[in-house]
Amino acid sequence: MADGIHCAISGEALSVEAALRFVAGPGNGAVTSFVGQVRDLNQGRAVRGVSYDVYDALALRGFLQLTGEARARWGDGLSLWLEHFKGRLAVGGISIVIAVGSPQRDNRFQACRFLIEEIKHRAPIWKQEHYHDGDSAWVQGHALCRH
Amino acid sequence: MQIRLAVFGAFRGQVAQSDLTFILPDDARVRHLRAALKVHLRALHPAAGDDGLVERSAFADANEVLDEEAALAGRQGLAVLPPVCGG
């Protein structure tokens, strides 16, 4: 993994503090972060938890590719942290942590937004919502198809 | 040749195991695997396929998402990937 870049898929609780420490630096005036959490309502259904399924090897490769693309667009000086949870979370649980450090805030915001949007469309990750009525359903997503 | 295909997401609800095994010709391509998967799922559940999930899914190995004409021979970590929704 390139210096200043951390990417991981984890079944352990994600740490926002670790992410902020990693991307902080004496030359960075601030850090920008995105922290995704399980919400209690989706499309009118009361949610009690979400299970995340991940194709680890391909997802990690994709994360590294995305962080490389972010540096190519917004500079090699970006420090980047990208972790996604795998397994089941209750409402409020943290599913993803993205943190970006750089001297310029515009680069930070744009890179952070780029990473979360691209992950939603390109990373091999799936959500199964568990509802209070006992039902469960896989969330409709974005097709990866190249055919 | 024997192909092991890992399943993820919504496909987990349709098959009892985490991967499926197919016997295909040595020159088989992704489109052949897609067709074999449709037949397999239809045999398990007569209504399988009505939702178009197989058509909307991609196939990949451990390195990349594959084109429909990509050859399967020698690839490791083949998987069928339904539409994604990380984050």
Side-chain angles (χ1 to χ4, degrees), chain B:
Chain B
M1 64 181 168
Q2 180 172 293
I3 297 290
R4 285 186 66 181
L5 180 70
V7 300
F8 291 95
F11 286 111
R12 290 194 189 276
Q14 299 188 22
V15 300
Q17 59 268 56
S18 61
D19 55 53
L20 301 170
T21 301
F22 297 95
I23 304 297
L24 296 174
D26 289 347
D27 62 350
R29 299 176 183 277
V30 165
R31 61 187 163 88
H32 298 118
L33 183 55
R34 186 186 302 278
L37 177 61
K38 286 181 70 173
V39 170
H40 181 84
L41 293 177
R42 185 74 77 174
L44 288 176
H45 312 285
D50 292 350
D51 57 2
L53 184 62
V54 175
E55 286 80 2
R56 289 184 287 114
S57 296
F59 288 77
D61 63 14
N63 296 310
E64 61 180 341
V65 177
L66 303 172
D67 293 328
E68 198 70 357
E69 292 302 319
L72 301 176
R75 294 190 184 276
Q76 302 297 313
L78 283 167
V80 58
L81 312 179
V84 300
C85 52

Side-chain angles (χ1 to χ4, degrees), chain A residues 34 36 52-58 61 84 95-96 116 119-127 138-147, chain B residues 7-13 34 55-58 60-68 76-87:
Chain A
F34 178 91
Y52 292 87
D53 192 14
V54 182
Y55 185 1
D56 296 47
L58 191 61
R61 184 173 289 272
H84 202 291
S95 59
I96 185 169
I116 184 58
I119 286 168
K120 284 182 176 293
H121 287 82
R122 293 166 56 182
I125 299 171
W126 302 270
K127 281 191 259 196
W138 291 96
V139 175
Q140 298 290 319
H142 305 278
L144 285 172
C145 300
R146 293 180 61 185
H147 61 279
Chain B
V7 300
F8 291 95
F11 286 111
R12 290 194 189 276
R34 186 186 302 278
E55 286 80 2
R56 289 184 287 114
S57 296
D61 63 14
N63 296 310
E64 61 180 341
V65 177
L66 303 172
D67 293 328
E68 198 70 357
Q76 302 297 313
L78 283 167
V80 58
L81 312 179
V84 300
C85 52

